[in-house]
C-alpha cells in the first residue's frame, strides 16, 4: 500500500532516495473523496528542506543513470509498463477514491498509461540517435544527444495514470533523473506509480516524490527550480499556475515544457454527419465531468444545420447524460464551474440543454449543460469551465466558424466535422490555430505514438513518443581531429 501509519492515520509520505521521509504532522494534507464528502487519507506536505533533499537525491543518482545503456533503460520501462497493466484495478480504484472519477475512466487511464510507457520505451533508440553532418576536411563532427540533467516534473491530478508516467518516463528514457512534485489531490496514485518504477528496477534516487500544501507550494516549487542542478521543468495544469511557474523558471534561467488549458472548439459544417457529430460533441464536453484540458468547450455550428443539430443534441444529452456523468474532484471545482455558467445566464445567456443543477448529496456533480448567447464580456467565453458544459454558437458560414474558433487565448485542440474530408483537412492544416485538429472526431483524442504540442496560451513544447524524450535531451557537439591537422590561420602568420 502507498501509506504509512501514524497515530491511526494513513499518510502518503514524501519519497526521497527510495525511502519515506520522516513524518511531520503539522504539515499533513487532507485528501478528500469529494463524491462522498469524506476524508480518504492524508498526504505529507513538504517544506523547502524536503524539496532540496529530493533534488540532492536526484543529483546523486544522475551520473550512474545517465550512463546506463539505452537498452537497460528500455528494459526497465517495458517492465514498468507490464507492472502498471497488472495493477490496473489497484491504481484505478485509488483514482476513484482521490479524484471521484468513474471507475471505467480510471481503468482506461491506467491502461493508456501502460501503452504510453511502452511507446516511450520503443522510441528510446530513435530519440537518442545523433548525427554526423558533412564538414570540410577529414575531421569528424559528431552531434550526440545528451540528457539535460535532473529535472522537475509537475503533472496534474485529472489524468495521473497517463500524464505522470508520460513525463517521468520520457525524462528517464533520456537519461535524466526526476523530482516529481505530485498533486496533493491524488498523492496515493502517484505513490503507486513511483513504486512501479522501483519494482521495475529503477535505482534509488532516480525518481523522488514530494507534495506540498497550497500555502507552501510556491516556496517549495521555487526551491526546486532554483537549485542549480535542476536543468528543466515540465508542467501540466492550468494557465494561471503555469504562468507563475513559467515566471519562476525564467527568473532562474530554466527551460520549461508546458501543456496548459484549452477552450477547445468543435466546428460543425453544413455537410457534417450530424447524428455522429452530436455524439462526439457531447462525449467531448462531458467526459470526466468536463475535467479534461482537451474538453470540448465551444460548439460552433453553421446556421444551415443549426436547428437540426440542436434538436439531435438535446436528444443525445437527455438520453445519455441526463442523470449526470461523474463528479467534480472537489466541491470547489463544482462551485466554480456552476458559477461560470450562472454568471453568463444572468447576463442573458440561455441553457438550451440541461440546467446546470448540482447533483448528488454532496453537490459535487453538475447536470451536463449546453449554453448559448454567451457575451464577449462573460468570463465563460474564454475561461475553461472544467465542468460538464459547453457553449454553443451559430455562425453564418465556414469562414465565420474558423474566425470564432481562433478567437481565443488558447490553442490546444480543435475538431472539425465535414463529409468533405479533404476540405476539412485543408481547414485544419492551414487555418485553425491549434496544436492538434481532429477531423470527424472529438477533441479529447490522444494517441501515445503521435507528437502532441500546443500553441498560443496553451503552452509550448512537444509530448509523446520520441518527441517527448527529445524534450529532455540536448545536442552536444563532439569533434575529432588528427594531431597533424594544420594550425588555423592567425594574425601575422
Amino acid at each position: 500500500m502507498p501509506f504509512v501509519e501514524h497515530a491511526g492515520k494513513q499518510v502518503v509520505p514524501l519519497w526521497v532516495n527510495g525511502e519515506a521521509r520522516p513524518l511531520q504532522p503539522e504539515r499533513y494534507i487532507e485528501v478528500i473523496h469529494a463524491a462522498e464528502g469524506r476524508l480518504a487519507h492524508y498526504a505529507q506536505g513538504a517544506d523547502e528542506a524536503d524539496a532540496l533533499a529530493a533534488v540532492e537525491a536526484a543529483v546523486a543518482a544522475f551520473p550512474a543513470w545517465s550512463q546506463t545503456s539505452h537498452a537497460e533503460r528500455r528494459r526497465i520501462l517495458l517492465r514498468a509498463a507490464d507492472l502498471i497493466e497488472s495493477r490496473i484495478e489497484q491504481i484505478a480504484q485509488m483514482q476513484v477514491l482521490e479524484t471521484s472519477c468513474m471507475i471505467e475512466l480510471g481503468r482506461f487511464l491506467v491502461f493508456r498509461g501502460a501503452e504510453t510507457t511502452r511507446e516511450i520505451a520503443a522510441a528510446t533508440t530513435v530519440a537518442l540517435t545523433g548525427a554526423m553532418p558533412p564538414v570540410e576536411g577529414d575531421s569528424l563532427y559528431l552531434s550526440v544527444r545528451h540528457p539535460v540533467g535532473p529535472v522537475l516534473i509537475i503533472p496534474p491530478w485529472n489524468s495521473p495514470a497517463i500524464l505522470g508516467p508520460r513525463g517521468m518516463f520520457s525524462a528517464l528514457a533520456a537519461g535524466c533523473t526526476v523530482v516529481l512534485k505530485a498533486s496533493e489531490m491524488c498523492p496515493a496514485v502517484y505513490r503507486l506509480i513511483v513504486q512501479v518504477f522501483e519494482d521495475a528496477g529503477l535505482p534509488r534516487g532516480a525518481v523522488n516524490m514530494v507534495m506540498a500544501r497550497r500555502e507552501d507550494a510556491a516556496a517549495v516549487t521555487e526551491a526546486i527550480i532554483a537549485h542549480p542542478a535542476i536543468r528543466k521543468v515540465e508542467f501540466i495544469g492550468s494557465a494561471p499556475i503555469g504562468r507563475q511557474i513559467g515566471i519562476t523558471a525564467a527568473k532562474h534561467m530554466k527551460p520549461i515544457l508546458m501543456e496548459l488549458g484549452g477552450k477547445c472548439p468543435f466546428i460543425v459544417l453544413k455537410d457534417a454527419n450530424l447524428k455522429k457529430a452530436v455524439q462526439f460533441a457531447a462525449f467531448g464536453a462531458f467526459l470526466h465531468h468536463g475535467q479534461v484540458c482537451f474538453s470540448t468547450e465551444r460548439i460552433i455550428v453553421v446556421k444551415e444545420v443549426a436547428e437540426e443539430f440542436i434538436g439531435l443534441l438535446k436528444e443525445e444529452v437527455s438520453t445519455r447524460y441526463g442523470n449526470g456523468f461523474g463528479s467534480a474532484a472537489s466541491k470547489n471545482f463544482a462551485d466554480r464551474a456552476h458559477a461560470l455558467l450562472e454568471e453568463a445566464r444572468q447576463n442573458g445567456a440561455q441553457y438550451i440543454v440541461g440546467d446546470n443543477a448540482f447533483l448528488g448529496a454532496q453537490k459535487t456533480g453538475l447536470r451536463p449543460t449546453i449554453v448559448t448567447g454567451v457575451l464577449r464580456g462573460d468570463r465563460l467565453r474564454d475561461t475553461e469551465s472544467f465542468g460538464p458544459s459547453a457553449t454553443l454558437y451559430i455562425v453564418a458560414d465556414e469562414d465565420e466558424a474558423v474566425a470564432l474558433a481562433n478567437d481565443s487565448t488558447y490553442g490546444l485542440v480543435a475538431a472539425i466535422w465535414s463529409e468533405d474530408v479533404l476540405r476539412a483537412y485543408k481547414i485544419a492544416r492551414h487555418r485553425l490555430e491549434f496544436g492538434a485538429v481532429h477531423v470527424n472526431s472529438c477533441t479529447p483524442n490522444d494517441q501515445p505514438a503521435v507528437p502532441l504540442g500546443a500553441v498560443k496560451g496553451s503552452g509550448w513544447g512537444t509530448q509523446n513518443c520520441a518527441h517527448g524524450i527529445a524534450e529532455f535531451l540536448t545536442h552536444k557537439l563532439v569533434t575529432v581531429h588528427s594531431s597533424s591537422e594544420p594550425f588555423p590561420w592567425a594574425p601575422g602568420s
Side-chain angles (χ1 to χ4, degrees), residues 76-92 95 106-118 160-162 164-166 168-169 189 192-197 199-200:
I76 290 174
L77 294 183
L78 290 172
R79 284 198 293 268
D82 290 342
L83 289 173
I84 289 172
E85 198 164 55
S86 72
R87 299 174 188 179
I88 280 181
E89 198 62 26
Q90 181 189 25
I91 299 173
Q95 286 181 92
R107 291 180 183 126
F108 169 79
L109 293 176
V110 182
F111 172 77
R112 182 51 63 85
E115 290 298 293
T116 298
T117 303
R118 291 191 180 100
I162 296 179
R166 186 183 72 181
M168 289 184 278
F169 279 144
V189 173
L192 289 172
I193 293 170
V194 170
Q195 189 62 52
V196 163
F197 294 158
D199 291 348

Side-chain angles (χ1 to χ4, degrees), residues 240 261-264 297-298 336 340-341 343 374 377-387 389 391 393 408-410:
K263 196 71 178 174
C264 304
E297 291 265 353
R298 297 179 291 154
R336 177 184 176 276
L340 282 170
L341 268 66
E343 186 179 290
V374 174
D378 291 330
R379 286 193 302 155
L380 182 61
R381 190 182 186 281
D382 204 34
T383 299
E384 279 186 301
S385 72
F386 236 56
S389 67
T391 53
Y393 301 88
S408 172
T409 57
Y410 295 103

Side-chain angles (χ1 to χ4, degrees), residues 383-427:
T383 299
E384 279 186 301
S385 72
F386 236 56
S389 67
T391 53
L392 186 141
Y393 301 88
I394 299 173
V395 295
D397 53 25
E398 169 190 307
D399 290 339
E400 188 177 346
V402 170
L404 179 57
N406 289 337
D407 186 16
S408 172
T409 57
Y410 295 103
L412 190 57
V413 176
I416 181 168
W417 278 72
S418 170
E419 290 295 86
D420 187 342
V421 174
L422 181 59
R423 175 162 153 256
Y425 168 79
K426 290 179 179 178
I427 296 170

Side-chain angles (χ1 to χ4, degrees), residues 146-412:
H146 191 74
V148 296
V151 298
L152 169 63
I153 305 291
I154 311 176
W157 59 266
N158 59 337
S159 298
I162 296 179
L163 301 181
R166 186 183 72 181
M168 289 184 278
F169 279 144
S170 295
L172 291 167
C176 300
T177 51
V178 173
V179 176
L180 166 68
K181 184 179 178 294
S183 171
E184 74 283 0
M185 293 183 65
C186 55
V189 173
Y190 280 112
R191 177 69 194 92
L192 289 172
I193 293 170
V194 170
Q195 189 62 52
V196 163
F197 294 158
E198 297 189 351
D199 291 348
L202 194 70
R204 290 163 60 98
V207 170
N208 308 275
M209 184 179 106
V210 299
M211 294 78 65
R213 299 181 302 173
R214 291 295 175 95
E215 60 265 36
D216 299 328
V220 167
T221 303
E222 178 152 12
I224 298 171
I225 295 174
H227 193 290
I230 291 293
R231 301 312 312 151
K232 191 162 187 174
V233 180
E234 180 190 67
F235 173 78
I236 304 175
S238 71
I241 300 299
R243 186 174 295 110
Q244 294 304 312
I245 292 176
I247 290 170
T248 301
K251 182 170 71 172
H252 297 287
M253 291 294 289
K254 305 295 176 70
I256 184 168
L257 168 63
M258 290 204 291
E259 182 184 308
L260 306 177
K263 196 71 178 174
C264 304
F266 185 100
I267 299 172
V268 182
L269 299 183
K270 63 182 180 181
D271 62 345
N273 181 331
L274 299 184
K275 290 183 179 179
K276 294 294 292 186
V278 295
Q279 294 175 354
F280 282 77
F283 179 81
F286 307 145
L287 175 67
H288 200 0
H289 203 257
Q291 299 168 128
V292 183
C293 56
F294 297 165
S295 181
T296 298
E297 291 265 353
R298 297 179 291 154
I299 301 171
I300 303 170
V301 188
V302 170
K303 184 177 181 179
E304 286 183 51
V305 296
E307 183 177 351
E308 182 180 358
F309 179 88
I310 292 171
L312 291 169
L313 184 62
K314 288 179 178 179
E315 181 180 352
E316 173 71 14
V317 176
S318 62
T319 301
R320 291 183 190 264
Y321 305 100
N323 295 322
F325 197 40
S327 167
S330 77
K331 186 65 170 71
N332 286 340
F333 292 165
D335 290 345
R336 177 184 176 276
H338 179 271
L340 282 170
L341 268 66
E342 182 62 18
E343 186 179 290
R345 189 190 67 80
Q346 291 177 358
N347 289 338
Q350 297 178 333
Y351 300 155
I352 59 171
V353 183
D355 59 5
N356 194 35
F358 287 108
L359 302 175
Q362 304 302 320
K363 296 185 176 181
T364 56
L366 287 169
R367 195 181 313 281
T369 301
I370 307 295
V371 58
T372 191
V374 174
L375 302 176
R376 177 169 288 276
D378 291 330
R379 286 193 302 155
L380 182 61
R381 190 182 186 281
D382 204 34
T383 299
E384 279 186 301
S385 72
F386 236 56
S389 67
T391 53
L392 186 141
Y393 301 88
I394 299 173
V395 295
D397 53 25
E398 169 190 307
D399 290 339
E400 188 177 346
V402 170
L404 179 57
N406 289 337
D407 186 16
S408 172
T409 57
Y410 295 103
L412 190 57

